[in-house]
Amino acid sequence: MSDAPRDGALSPEATERWLDRLFRSEAPRLARYLRSAVNNQDEVHDLVQETFVKLVASPPPARPQTPQAYLLGVARHVLWRRRNRAPLWAKAVHVPIDEANDLAVAPEQEWMIDAADFMRRYETALAELPELTREVFRLSRQEDLTYSQISERLGITVRAVELQMLKAIRYLDHRVNSDD
């Protein structure tokens, strides 16, 4: 098969005829070689086809002078890739397609579940605060009052409001964001 097309020297029709002759003469030889490394006959045919696809996909200057040797090298590379990817395929989890729809959770649904869980932890932690601390926090965050306004309304100093807010924020942060 030394009449290999190179550098676009042959027309597309001539290249197609050359590939057809090459496939007919070399595919059985490649299949025998690949069968010695692979047990599954169907996979052997896939690997032979992949080898020829790589030959066709190579740019014209890379078309070999001796296509038989080149095909054998490509087949070795295809086998090498198959062996190195096999552990990844073995780890893949296969789910029957009729069960796949039941497993998926839409991102919005997951976000809403997380948000509801966060709010539940927040409400629980807020209820656990001492009454004065909870009221200072509520006036600041829910009614948007300044520390001065809170101190006047509750009859405590601005410094006491600051300390109660610090206490509330630290406690809420710990309870809402902890993993327990």
Side-chain angles (χ1 to χ4, degrees), residues 123-178:
E123 294 292 334
T124 300
L126 195 57
E128 293 170 350
L129 287 173
E131 188 176 336
L132 177 62
T133 307
R134 184 174 50 247
E135 184 62 16
V136 168
F137 185 80
R138 188 189 67 75
L139 291 172
S140 174
R141 298 299 165 103
Q142 291 176 353
E143 294 190 23
D144 245 358
L145 298 180
T146 65
Y147 287 5
S148 298
Q149 292 170 327
I150 295 170
S151 76
E152 286 176 21
R153 183 177 284 186
L154 296 178
I156 57 175
T157 65
V158 172
R159 179 72 182 138
V161 171
E162 291 172 353
L163 291 174
Q164 292 301 316
M165 280 299 293
L166 181 61
K167 184 177 174 182
I169 291 170
R170 282 185 178 163
Y171 184 78
L172 292 172
D173 179 55
H174 171 74
R175 289 286 284 129
V176 170
N177 295 319
S178 69

CSV table of all heavy atoms in Angstrom, one decimal, residues 123-178:
chain,number,residue,atom,x,y,z
A,123,GLU,N,-34.2,31.2,63.4
A,123,GLU,CA,-35.3,31.5,64.3
A,123,GLU,C,-35.1,30.8,65.6
A,123,GLU,O,-35.4,31.3,66.7
A,123,GLU,CB,-36.6,31.0,63.6
A,123,GLU,CG,-37.0,31.7,62.4
A,123,GLU,CD,-37.4,33.2,62.7
A,123,GLU,OE1,-37.9,33.5,63.8
A,123,GLU,OE2,-37.3,34.0,61.7
A,124,THR,N,-34.6,29.6,65.6
A,124,THR,CA,-34.3,28.8,66.8
A,124,THR,C,-33.3,29.6,67.7
A,124,THR,O,-33.5,29.8,68.9
A,124,THR,CB,-33.8,27.4,66.5
A,124,THR,OG1,-34.8,26.7,65.8
A,124,THR,CG2,-33.5,26.6,67.8
A,125,ALA,N,-32.2,30.0,67.0
A,125,ALA,CA,-31.2,30.7,67.8
A,125,ALA,C,-31.7,32.0,68.3
A,125,ALA,O,-31.4,32.5,69.4
A,125,ALA,CB,-30.0,30.9,66.8
A,126,LEU,N,-32.5,32.7,67.5
A,126,LEU,CA,-33.1,34.0,68.0
A,126,LEU,C,-33.9,33.8,69.2
A,126,LEU,O,-33.9,34.6,70.1
A,126,LEU,CB,-33.9,34.6,66.8
A,126,LEU,CG,-34.2,36.1,66.9
A,126,LEU,CD1,-33.0,37.0,67.1
A,126,LEU,CD2,-35.0,36.6,65.7
A,127,ALA,N,-34.7,32.8,69.2
A,127,ALA,CA,-35.6,32.5,70.4
A,127,ALA,C,-34.8,32.1,71.6
A,127,ALA,O,-35.3,32.3,72.7
A,127,ALA,CB,-36.5,31.4,70.0
A,128,GLU,N,-33.6,31.6,71.4
A,128,GLU,CA,-32.7,31.3,72.6
A,128,GLU,C,-32.0,32.5,73.2
A,128,GLU,O,-31.5,32.3,74.3
A,128,GLU,CB,-31.7,30.3,72.1
A,128,GLU,CG,-32.2,28.9,71.7
A,128,GLU,CD,-31.2,28.0,71.0
A,128,GLU,OE1,-30.1,28.5,70.7
A,128,GLU,OE2,-31.5,26.8,70.8
A,129,LEU,N,-32.0,33.6,72.6
A,129,LEU,CA,-31.4,34.8,73.1
A,129,LEU,C,-32.1,35.3,74.4
A,129,LEU,O,-33.3,35.2,74.4
A,129,LEU,CB,-31.3,35.9,72.1
A,129,LEU,CG,-30.3,35.8,70.9
A,129,LEU,CD1,-30.6,36.9,69.9
A,129,LEU,CD2,-28.9,35.8,71.4
A,130,PRO,N,-31.4,35.9,75.3
A,130,PRO,CA,-32.1,36.5,76.4
A,130,PRO,C,-33.0,37.6,75.9
A,130,PRO,O,-32.8,38.2,74.9
A,130,PRO,CB,-30.9,37.1,77.3
A,130,PRO,CG,-29.7,36.4,76.9
A,130,PRO,CD,-29.9,35.9,75.5
A,131,GLU,N,-34.0,37.9,76.6
A,131,GLU,CA,-35.1,38.9,76.2
A,131,GLU,C,-34.5,40.2,75.8
A,131,GLU,O,-34.9,40.7,74.7
A,131,GLU,CB,-36.2,39.0,77.2
A,131,GLU,CG,-37.4,39.8,76.8
A,131,GLU,CD,-38.5,39.9,77.8
A,131,GLU,OE1,-38.5,39.0,78.7
A,131,GLU,OE2,-39.3,40.8,77.7
A,132,LEU,N,-33.7,40.8,76.6
A,132,LEU,CA,-33.1,42.2,76.3
A,132,LEU,C,-32.3,42.1,75.0
A,132,LEU,O,-32.4,43.0,74.1
A,132,LEU,CB,-32.3,42.7,77.5
A,132,LEU,CG,-31.6,44.1,77.2
A,132,LEU,CD1,-32.7,45.1,77.0
A,132,LEU,CD2,-30.7,44.4,78.4
A,133,THR,N,-31.4,41.1,74.9
A,133,THR,CA,-30.6,41.0,73.7
A,133,THR,C,-31.4,40.8,72.5
A,133,THR,O,-31.2,41.4,71.4
A,133,THR,CB,-29.6,39.8,73.9
A,133,THR,OG1,-28.9,39.9,75.2
A,133,THR,CG2,-28.6,39.6,72.8
A,134,ARG,N,-32.4,39.9,72.5
A,134,ARG,CA,-33.3,39.7,71.4
A,134,ARG,C,-34.0,41.0,71.0
A,134,ARG,O,-34.2,41.3,69.8
A,134,ARG,CB,-34.3,38.6,71.8
A,134,ARG,CG,-35.2,38.2,70.6
A,134,ARG,CD,-36.1,37.0,70.9
A,134,ARG,NE,-36.9,37.1,72.1
A,134,ARG,CZ,-36.7,36.3,73.2
A,134,ARG,NH1,-35.8,35.4,73.2
A,134,ARG,NH2,-37.4,36.5,74.3
A,135,GLU,N,-34.5,41.7,72.0
A,135,GLU,CA,-35.3,43.0,71.7
A,135,GLU,C,-34.3,44.0,71.0
A,135,GLU,O,-34.7,44.7,70.1
A,135,GLU,CB,-35.9,43.5,72.9
A,135,GLU,CG,-36.8,44.8,72.7
A,135,GLU,CD,-38.0,44.5,71.8
A,135,GLU,OE1,-38.3,43.3,71.6
A,135,GLU,OE2,-38.6,45.5,71.3
A,136,VAL,N,-33.1,44.2,71.5
A,136,VAL,CA,-32.2,45.1,71.0
A,136,VAL,C,-31.9,44.7,69.5
A,136,VAL,O,-31.9,45.5,68.6
A,136,VAL,CB,-30.9,45.2,71.8
A,136,VAL,CG1,-29.7,45.9,71.0
A,136,VAL,CG2,-31.1,45.8,73.1
A,137,PHE,N,-31.6,43.4,69.3
A,137,PHE,CA,-31.4,42.9,67.9
A,137,PHE,C,-32.5,43.2,67.0
A,137,PHE,O,-32.4,43.6,65.9
A,137,PHE,CB,-31.0,41.4,68.0
A,137,PHE,CG,-30.6,40.9,66.7
A,137,PHE,CD1,-29.3,41.0,66.2
A,137,PHE,CD2,-31.5,40.2,65.9
A,137,PHE,CE1,-28.9,40.5,65.0
A,137,PHE,CE2,-31.1,39.6,64.7
A,137,PHE,CZ,-29.8,39.8,64.2
A,138,ARG,N,-33.8,42.9,67.5
A,138,ARG,CA,-35.0,43.1,66.7
A,138,ARG,C,-35.2,44.5,66.3
A,138,ARG,O,-35.5,44.8,65.2
A,138,ARG,CB,-36.2,42.5,67.5
A,138,ARG,CG,-37.5,42.5,66.6
A,138,ARG,CD,-38.7,42.2,67.5
A,138,ARG,NE,-39.0,43.3,68.4
A,138,ARG,CZ,-39.6,44.5,68.1
A,138,ARG,NH1,-39.8,44.7,66.8
A,138,ARG,NH2,-39.8,45.4,69.0
A,139,LEU,N,-35.0,45.4,67.3
A,139,LEU,CA,-35.2,46.9,67.0
A,139,LEU,C,-34.1,47.3,66.0
A,139,LEU,O,-34.5,48.2,65.1
A,139,LEU,CB,-35.1,47.7,68.3
A,139,LEU,CG,-36.2,47.5,69.3
A,139,LEU,CD1,-35.9,48.2,70.6
A,139,LEU,CD2,-37.5,48.0,68.7
A,140,SER,N,-32.9,46.8,66.1
A,140,SER,CA,-31.9,47.3,65.2
A,140,SER,C,-32.1,46.7,63.8
A,140,SER,O,-32.0,47.5,62.8
A,140,SER,CB,-30.5,46.8,65.7
A,140,SER,OG,-29.5,47.1,64.8
A,141,ARG,N,-32.3,45.4,63.7
A,141,ARG,CA,-32.4,44.8,62.3
A,141,ARG,C,-33.8,44.8,61.7
A,141,ARG,O,-33.9,44.9,60.5
A,141,ARG,CB,-31.9,43.3,62.5
A,141,ARG,CG,-30.5,43.2,62.9
A,141,ARG,CD,-29.5,43.9,61.9
A,141,ARG,NE,-28.2,44.2,62.4
A,141,ARG,CZ,-27.2,43.5,62.1
A,141,ARG,NH1,-27.3,42.4,61.3
A,141,ARG,NH2,-26.0,43.8,62.7
A,142,GLN,N,-34.8,44.7,62.5
A,142,GLN,CA,-36.2,44.7,61.9
A,142,GLN,C,-36.8,46.1,61.8
A,142,GLN,O,-37.5,46.3,60.8
A,142,GLN,CB,-37.1,43.7,62.7
A,142,GLN,CG,-36.6,42.3,62.5
A,142,GLN,CD,-37.4,41.3,63.4
A,142,GLN,OE1,-38.3,41.7,64.2
A,142,GLN,NE2,-37.2,40.0,63.2
A,143,GLU,N,-36.6,46.9,62.8
A,143,GLU,CA,-37.2,48.2,62.7
A,143,GLU,C,-36.2,49.3,62.3
A,143,GLU,O,-36.6,50.5,62.2
A,143,GLU,CB,-37.8,48.6,64.1
A,143,GLU,CG,-39.0,47.7,64.5
A,143,GLU,CD,-39.7,48.2,65.7
A,143,GLU,OE1,-39.6,49.4,66.0
A,143,GLU,OE2,-40.4,47.3,66.3
A,144,ASP,N,-35.0,48.9,62.0
A,144,ASP,CA,-34.0,49.8,61.5
A,144,ASP,C,-33.7,51.0,62.4
A,144,ASP,O,-33.4,52.1,61.9
A,144,ASP,CB,-34.3,50.3,60.1
A,144,ASP,CG,-33.3,49.8,59.1
A,144,ASP,OD1,-32.4,49.1,59.5
A,144,ASP,OD2,-33.5,50.1,57.9
A,145,LEU,N,-33.8,50.9,63.7
A,145,LEU,CA,-33.5,52.0,64.6
A,145,LEU,C,-32.0,52.1,64.9
A,145,LEU,O,-31.3,51.1,64.8
A,145,LEU,CB,-34.2,51.8,66.0
A,145,LEU,CG,-35.8,51.7,65.9
A,145,LEU,CD1,-36.3,51.5,67.3
A,145,LEU,CD2,-36.4,52.9,65.3
A,146,THR,N,-31.6,53.3,65.1
A,146,THR,CA,-30.2,53.6,65.4
A,146,THR,C,-30.0,53.1,66.9
A,146,THR,O,-30.9,53.0,67.7
A,146,THR,CB,-29.8,55.1,65.3
A,146,THR,OG1,-30.6,55.8,66.2
A,146,THR,CG2,-30.1,55.6,63.9
A,147,TYR,N,-28.7,53.0,67.3
A,147,TYR,CA,-28.4,52.6,68.6
A,147,TYR,C,-28.9,53.7,69.6
A,147,TYR,O,-29.4,53.3,70.7
A,147,TYR,CB,-26.9,52.4,68.8
A,147,TYR,CG,-26.3,51.1,68.2
A,147,TYR,CD1,-27.1,50.3,67.4
A,147,TYR,CD2,-25.0,50.8,68.4
A,147,TYR,CE1,-26.7,49.1,66.8
A,147,TYR,CE2,-24.5,49.6,67.8
A,147,TYR,CZ,-25.3,48.8,67.0
A,147,TYR,OH,-24.9,47.6,66.5
A,148,SER,N,-28.8,54.9,69.2
A,148,SER,CA,-29.3,56.0,70.1
A,148,SER,C,-30.9,55.9,70.3
A,148,SER,O,-31.4,56.0,71.4
A,148,SER,CB,-29.1,57.4,69.5
A,148,SER,OG,-27.7,57.6,69.4
A,149,GLN,N,-31.6,55.6,69.2
A,149,GLN,CA,-33.0,55.4,69.3
A,149,GLN,C,-33.4,54.2,70.2
A,149,GLN,O,-34.3,54.3,71.0
A,149,GLN,CB,-33.6,55.3,67.9
A,149,GLN,CG,-33.5,56.5,67.1
A,149,GLN,CD,-33.9,56.3,65.6
A,149,GLN,OE1,-33.7,55.2,65.1
A,149,GLN,NE2,-34.5,57.3,65.0
A,150,ILE,N,-32.6,53.1,70.0
A,150,ILE,CA,-32.9,51.9,70.8
A,150,ILE,C,-32.6,52.2,72.3
A,150,ILE,O,-33.4,51.8,73.2
A,150,ILE,CB,-32.0,50.8,70.3
A,150,ILE,CG1,-32.4,50.3,68.9
A,150,ILE,CG2,-32.1,49.6,71.3
A,150,ILE,CD1,-31.4,49.4,68.3
A,151,SER,N,-31.5,53.0,72.6
A,151,SER,CA,-31.2,53.3,74.0
A,151,SER,C,-32.3,54.1,74.6
A,151,SER,O,-32.7,53.9,75.8
A,151,SER,CB,-29.8,53.9,74.1
A,151,SER,OG,-29.9,55.3,73.7
A,152,GLU,N,-32.8,55.1,73.9
A,152,GLU,CA,-33.9,55.9,74.4
A,152,GLU,C,-35.2,55.1,74.6
A,152,GLU,O,-35.9,55.2,75.7
A,152,GLU,CB,-34.3,57.0,73.4
A,152,GLU,CG,-33.2,58.1,73.4
A,152,GLU,CD,-33.5,59.2,72.4
A,152,GLU,OE1,-34.7,59.3,71.9
A,152,GLU,OE2,-32.6,59.9,72.0
A,153,ARG,N,-35.5,54.2,73.7
A,153,ARG,CA,-36.8,53.4,73.8
A,153,ARG,C,-36.7,52.4,74.9
A,153,ARG,O,-37.7,52.2,75.6
A,153,ARG,CB,-37.0,52.7,72.5
A,153,ARG,CG,-38.3,51.9,72.6
A,153,ARG,CD,-38.7,51.2,71.3
A,153,ARG,NE,-39.2,52.1,70.3
A,153,ARG,CZ,-39.7,51.7,69.1
A,153,ARG,NH1,-39.8,50.4,68.8
A,153,ARG,NH2,-40.1,52.6,68.3
A,154,LEU,N,-35.5,51.8,75.2
A,154,LEU,CA,-35.4,50.8,76.2
A,154,LEU,C,-34.9,51.3,77.5
A,154,LEU,O,-34.8,50.6,78.5
A,154,LEU,CB,-34.5,49.6,75.7
A,154,LEU,CG,-35.0,48.9,74.5
A,154,LEU,CD1,-34.0,47.8,74.1
A,154,LEU,CD2,-36.3,48.2,74.8
A,155,GLY,N,-34.4,52.6,77.5
A,155,GLY,CA,-33.9,53.2,78.7
A,155,GLY,C,-32.6,52.6,79.2
A,155,GLY,O,-32.3,52.5,80.4
A,156,ILE,N,-31.7,52.3,78.2
A,156,ILE,CA,-30.4,51.8,78.5
A,156,ILE,C,-29.4,52.7,77.8
A,156,ILE,O,-29.8,53.5,76.9
A,156,ILE,CB,-30.2,50.3,78.1
A,156,ILE,CG1,-30.5,50.1,76.7
A,156,ILE,CG2,-31.1,49.4,79.0
A,156,ILE,CD1,-30.2,48.7,76.2
A,157,THR,N,-28.1,52.6,78.1
A,157,THR,CA,-27.1,53.4,77.4
A,157,THR,C,-26.8,52.9,76.0
A,157,THR,O,-27.1,51.7,75.7
A,157,THR,CB,-25.8,53.4,78.3
A,157,THR,OG1,-25.2,52.1,78.3
A,157,THR,CG2,-26.0,53.9,79.7
A,158,VAL,N,-26.2,53.8,75.2
A,158,VAL,CA,-25.8,53.4,73.9
A,158,VAL,C,-24.7,52.3,74.0
A,158,VAL,O,-24.7,51.3,73.2
A,158,VAL,CB,-25.2,54.6,73.1
A,158,VAL,CG1,-24.7,54.1,71.8
A,158,VAL,CG2,-26.3,55.6,72.9
A,159,ARG,N,-23.8,52.4,75.0
A,159,ARG,CA,-22.8,51.3,75.2
A,159,ARG,C,-23.5,50.0,75.5
A,159,ARG,O,-23.0,48.9,74.9
A,159,ARG,CB,-21.9,51.7,76.3
A,159,ARG,CG,-20.8,50.7,76.6
A,159,ARG,CD,-19.7,50.7,75.5
A,159,ARG,NE,-18.7,49.7,75.8
A,159,ARG,CZ,-18.2,48.9,74.9
A,159,ARG,NH1,-18.6,48.9,73.7
A,159,ARG,NH2,-17.3,48.0,75.3
A,160,ALA,N,-24.6,50.0,76.2
A,160,ALA,CA,-25.3,48.7,76.6
A,160,ALA,C,-25.9,48.2,75.3
A,160,ALA,O,-25.9,46.9,75.1
A,160,ALA,CB,-26.3,49.0,77.6
A,161,VAL,N,-26.4,49.0,74.4
A,161,VAL,CA,-27.0,48.6,73.2
A,161,VAL,C,-25.9,47.9,72.3
A,161,VAL,O,-26.1,46.9,71.7
A,161,VAL,CB,-27.7,49.8,72.4
A,161,VAL,CG1,-28.1,49.4,71.0
A,161,VAL,CG2,-28.9,50.3,73.2
A,162,GLU,N,-24.7,48.6,72.2
A,162,GLU,CA,-23.6,48.0,71.5
A,162,GLU,C,-23.2,46.6,72.0
A,162,GLU,O,-23.0,45.7,71.2
A,162,GLU,CB,-22.4,49.0,71.5
A,162,GLU,CG,-22.6,50.3,70.8
A,162,GLU,CD,-21.5,51.3,71.1
A,162,GLU,OE1,-20.6,51.0,71.9
A,162,GLU,OE2,-21.5,52.3,70.4
A,163,LEU,N,-23.1,46.5,73.3
A,163,LEU,CA,-22.8,45.2,73.9
A,163,LEU,C,-23.8,44.1,73.6
A,163,LEU,O,-23.5,43.0,73.3
A,163,LEU,CB,-22.5,45.4,75.4
A,163,LEU,CG,-21.3,46.2,75.8
A,163,LEU,CD1,-21.2,46.4,77.3
A,163,LEU,CD2,-20.0,45.5,75.3
A,164,GLN,N,-25.1,44.5,73.7
A,164,GLN,CA,-26.2,43.5,73.4
A,164,GLN,C,-26.2,43.1,72.0
A,164,GLN,O,-26.4,41.9,71.7
A,164,GLN,CB,-27.5,44.1,73.8
A,164,GLN,CG,-27.7,44.4,75.3
A,164,GLN,CD,-27.6,43.1,76.1
A,164,GLN,OE1,-28.1,42.0,75.7
A,164,GLN,NE2,-26.9,43.1,77.2
A,165,MET,N,-25.9,44.1,71.1
A,165,MET,CA,-25.8,43.7,69.6
A,165,MET,C,-24.7,42.8,69.4
A,165,MET,O,-24.8,41.8,68.6
A,165,MET,CB,-25.7,45.0,68.8
A,165,MET,CG,-27.0,45.7,68.6
A,165,MET,SD,-28.3,44.7,67.7
A,165,MET,CE,-27.5,44.5,66.1
A,166,LEU,N,-23.5,43.1,70.0
A,166,LEU,CA,-22.3,42.2,69.8
A,166,LEU,C,-22.6,40.8,70.3
A,166,LEU,O,-22.3,39.8,69.7
A,166,LEU,CB,-21.2,42.9,70.6
A,166,LEU,CG,-19.8,42.1,70.5
A,166,LEU,CD1,-19.4,42.0,69.0
A,166,LEU,CD2,-18.8,42.8,71.3
A,167,LYS,N,-23.3,40.8,71.5
A,167,LYS,CA,-23.7,39.5,72.1
A,167,LYS,C,-24.6,38.7,71.1
A,167,LYS,O,-24.4,37.5,70.9
A,167,LYS,CB,-24.3,39.7,73.4
A,167,LYS,CG,-24.7,38.5,74.2
A,167,LYS,CD,-25.3,38.9,75.5
A,167,LYS,CE,-25.8,37.7,76.3
A,167,LYS,NZ,-26.4,38.1,77.6
A,168,ALA,N,-25.6,39.4,70.6
A,168,ALA,CA,-26.6,38.8,69.7
A,168,ALA,C,-25.9,38.3,68.4
A,168,ALA,O,-26.1,37.1,68.0
A,168,ALA,CB,-27.7,39.7,69.4
A,169,ILE,N,-25.1,39.1,67.8
A,169,ILE,CA,-24.5,38.7,66.5
A,169,ILE,C,-23.5,37.5,66.7
A,169,ILE,O,-23.5,36.6,65.9
A,169,ILE,CB,-23.7,40.0,65.9
A,169,ILE,CG1,-24.8,41.0,65.5
A,169,ILE,CG2,-22.8,39.5,64.8
A,169,ILE,CD1,-24.2,42.3,65.1
A,170,ARG,N,-22.7,37.6,67.8
A,170,ARG,CA,-21.8,36.4,68.0
A,170,ARG,C,-22.6,35.1,68.3
A,170,ARG,O,-22.2,34.1,67.7
A,170,ARG,CB,-20.9,36.7,69.2
A,170,ARG,CG,-19.8,37.7,68.9
A,170,ARG,CD,-18.9,37.8,70.1
A,170,ARG,NE,-17.8,38.7,69.8
A,170,ARG,CZ,-17.0,39.2,70.7
A,170,ARG,NH1,-17.3,39.1,72.0
A,170,ARG,NH2,-16.0,40.0,70.4
A,171,TYR,N,-23.6,35.2,69.1
A,171,TYR,CA,-24.4,34.0,69.4
A,171,TYR,C,-25.1,33.5,68.1
A,171,TYR,O,-25.0,32.3,67.8
A,171,TYR,CB,-25.4,34.3,70.5
A,171,TYR,CG,-26.2,33.0,70.9
A,171,TYR,CD1,-25.6,32.1,71.7
A,171,TYR,CD2,-27.5,32.8,70.4
A,171,TYR,CE1,-26.2,31.0,72.1
A,171,TYR,CE2,-28.1,31.6,70.8
A,171,TYR,CZ,-27.5,30.7,71.6
A,171,TYR,OH,-28.2,29.6,72.0
A,172,LEU,N,-25.7,34.4,67.4
A,172,LEU,CA,-26.5,33.9,66.2
A,172,LEU,C,-25.5,33.4,65.1
A,172,LEU,O,-25.8,32.3,64.5
A,172,LEU,CB,-27.2,35.1,65.6
A,172,LEU,CG,-28.4,35.6,66.4
A,172,LEU,CD1,-29.0,36.9,65.8
A,172,LEU,CD2,-29.5,34.5,66.5
A,173,ASP,N,-24.3,34.0,65.0
A,173,ASP,CA,-23.3,33.5,64.0
A,173,ASP,C,-22.9,32.1,64.4
A,173,ASP,O,-22.8,31.2,63.6
A,173,ASP,CB,-22.1,34.5,64.0
A,173,ASP,CG,-21.1,33.9,63.0
A,173,ASP,OD1,-21.4,33.7,61.8
A,173,ASP,OD2,-19.9,33.8,63.4
A,174,HIS,N,-22.6,31.9,65.7
A,174,HIS,CA,-22.2,30.6,66.2
A,174,HIS,C,-23.3,29.5,66.0
A,174,HIS,O,-23.0,28.5,65.4
A,174,HIS,CB,-21.8,30.7,67.6
A,174,HIS,CG,-21.5,29.3,68.2
A,174,HIS,ND1,-20.4,28.6,67.9
A,174,HIS,CD2,-22.2,28.6,69.1
A,174,HIS,CE1,-20.4,27.5,68.5
A,174,HIS,NE2,-21.5,27.4,69.3
A,175,ARG,N,-24.5,29.8,66.3
A,175,ARG,CA,-25.6,28.8,66.3
A,175,ARG,C,-26.0,28.6,64.8
A,175,ARG,O,-26.3,27.4,64.5
A,175,ARG,CB,-26.8,29.3,67.1
A,175,ARG,CG,-26.5,29.3,68.6
A,175,ARG,CD,-26.5,27.9,69.1
A,175,ARG,NE,-27.9,27.4,69.2
A,175,ARG,CZ,-28.3,26.3,68.7
A,175,ARG,NH1,-27.5,25.4,68.1
A,175,ARG,NH2,-29.6,25.9,68.7
A,176,VAL,N,-26.1,29.6,64.0
A,176,VAL,CA,-26.6,29.4,62.7
A,176,VAL,C,-25.5,28.7,61.8
A,176,VAL,O,-25.9,27.9,60.9
A,176,VAL,CB,-27.1,30.7,62.1
A,176,VAL,CG1,-27.4,30.6,60.6
A,176,VAL,CG2,-28.3,31.2,62.9
A,177,ASN,N,-24.3,29.1,61.9
A,177,ASN,CA,-23.3,28.6,61.0
A,177,ASN,C,-22.4,27.5,61.5
A,177,ASN,O,-21.6,27.0,60.8
A,177,ASN,CB,-22.3,29.8,60.7
A,177,ASN,CG,-23.0,30.9,59.9
A,177,ASN,OD1,-23.8,30.6,59.0
A,177,ASN,ND2,-22.7,32.1,60.3
A,178,SER,N,-22.7,27.0,62.7
A,178,SER,CA,-22.0,25.8,63.2
A,178,SER,C,-22.6,24.5,62.6
A,178,SER,O,-23.7,24.5,62.2
A,178,SER,CB,-22.0,25.7,64.8
A,178,SER,OG,-23.3,25.5,65.2
